[in-house]
């Protein structure tokens, strides 16, 4: 029987839904408490409505369930954050402080907090971006993630907090909708390929970005959280590489299954965000420290995405 009691904060989002499913298999449904600021129509239980900015309610939930681990997923993503920078800073930073302080006070044992490729900026080397390099993010989302990384490392070094983190690339899955990021096009494109055989892309054809199929990201997250503490040498956040492609590449991959698929380009404000990010990531440290290895390539992901989404469409 699991001795861990896990709280996921932001469990109803793109990552949370798939993470909860996987953690429930490993740790038992009763030991994975989902929480989000919004309750869903068919809500997975146990569930608590929680605004991460409400520190009193967070503490009450942690005590009620005797939580040992927190996965903090609640945040504003890159595109949404640019529209509301002050609130994005408030949510992304104060949410993290509330959880870090619980661990500092000894109320929880372990924290997972995701960072992003958005910590890098226009002055960062863009191809196979190394773990340690120039980091001058110019989006509010990237600035909050970089500050968050510094605080995670600080709480680990000063207070011994066991906090673990990955700089996720853009994540692509069929089970849940993306929540307002710049990489969301790479999910929308599969839906539109099946529904209308055409897609109008908000990034230009050449915009290569680091991406990853969701099951690889979930596996990496759980592997990092289950790694022995002495193997987790980086307490800011680990680079994690998966697939790197541009909109033309993903369109070509889709055409192997839907030959009549067409793509048009209509870049908007998200182009500037994408242009400030890396094109591909060097993840040697994650491979060396805790054995990370991605499984899915672009064509492998396209096949699974189209198979599952077409089944989903037929059942609607
Ligand atoms: P998402 O927007 O899909 O989900 C976030 C969830 O948090 C939503 O269900 C939302 O209702 C909830 N939430 C919002 N405000 C809240 C609050 N005040 N209190 C409690 N819950 C609140 O985001 P996601 O894609 O699942 O991302 C989760 C985390 O992973 C974020 O920190 C994000 O920055 C990071 N990340 C995601 C990606 C990606 O491609 N999805 C890439 C890099 C990093
Ligand atoms: N997928 C995320 C975004 O586009 C990257 O952190 O915001």
């Amino acid at each position: 029987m699991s001795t861990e009691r896990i709280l996921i904060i932001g469990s109803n989002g793109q990552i949370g839904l798939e993470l909860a499913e996987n953690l429930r298999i490993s740790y038992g449904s009763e030991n994975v408490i989902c929480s989000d600021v919004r309750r869903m129509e068919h809500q997975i239980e146990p569930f608590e409505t929680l605004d991460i900015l409400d520190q009193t309610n967070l503490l009450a939930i942690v005590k009620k369930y005797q939580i040992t681990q927190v996965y903090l997923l609640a945040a504003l993503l890159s595109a949404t954050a640019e529209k509301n920078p002050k609130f994005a800073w408030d949510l992304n930073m104060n949410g993290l402080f509330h959880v870090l302080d619980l661990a500092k006070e000894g109320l929880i044992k372990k924290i997972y907090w995701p960072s992003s490729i958005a910590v890098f900026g226009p002055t960062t080397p863009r191809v196979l971006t190394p773990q340690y390099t120039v980091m001058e993010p110019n989006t509010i989302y990237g600035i909050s993630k970089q500050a968050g990384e510094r605080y995670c490392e600080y709480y680990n070094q000063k207070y011994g907090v066991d906090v673990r983190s990955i700089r996720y690339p853009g994540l692509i899955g069929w089970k849940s909708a993306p929540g307002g990021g710049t990489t969301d096009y790479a999910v929308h494109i599969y839906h539109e390929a099946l529904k209308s055989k055409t897609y109008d892309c908000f990034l230009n054809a050449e915009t290569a970005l680091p991406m990853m199929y969701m099951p690889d990201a979930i596996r990496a997250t759980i592997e990092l959280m289950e790694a022995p503490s002495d193997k987790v040498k980086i307490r800011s956040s680990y680079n994690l590489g998966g697939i790197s492609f541009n909109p033309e590449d993903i369109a070509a991959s889709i055409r192997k299954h839907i030959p009549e698929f067409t793509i048009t380009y209509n870049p908007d404000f998200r182009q500037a965000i994408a242009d400030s990010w890396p094109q591909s990531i060097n993840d040697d440290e994650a491979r060396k420290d805790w054995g990370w290895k991605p499984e899915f390539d672009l064509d492998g992901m396209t096949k699974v995405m189209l198979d599952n989404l077409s089944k989903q469409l037929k059942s609607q």
Side-chain angles (χ1 to χ4, degrees), residues 77-78 116 141 170 181-183 277:
L77 274 75
S78 59
S116 162
Y141 175 68
T182 301
T183 56
W277 289 354

Side-chain angles (χ1 to χ4, degrees), residues 9-17 35-38 50-54 72-78 80 87 91-92 112-118 141 145 166-172 176-181 183-184 211 214:
I9 303 170
S11 64
N12 290 345
Q14 190 196 10
I15 299 173
L17 286 169
S35 74
D36 202 289
V37 74
R38 61 187 169 102
L50 169 66
D51 180 343
I52 186 56
L53 297 177
D54 181 349
L72 172 57
L73 304 178
L76 284 202
L77 274 75
S78 59
T80 321
F87 177 67
L91 176 62
N92 295 7
Y112 180 77
W113 171 81
S115 184
S116 162
I117 52 164
Y141 175 68
K145 289 293 185 188
I166 287 171
R167 292 172 180 154
Y168 288 136
L171 301 183
I172 299 161
S176 49
T183 56
D184 292 11
M211 301 277 190
M214 187 66 85

Side-chain angles (χ1 to χ4, degrees), residues 3 17 91 113 140 174-176 198 218 228 234 237:
T3 52
L17 286 169
L91 176 62
W113 171 81
I140 195 64
W174 58 272
K175 293 186 180 174
S176 49
T198 183
I218 300 292
I234 293 174
S237 192

Side-chain angles (χ1 to χ4, degrees), residues 117-118 120-121 124-127 129 208-210 274-281:
I117 52 164
F120 300 114
T124 301
R126 298 190 70 201
V127 176
T129 301
L209 288 169
D275 286 343
S276 76
W277 289 354
Q279 297 179 341
S280 58
I281 295 289

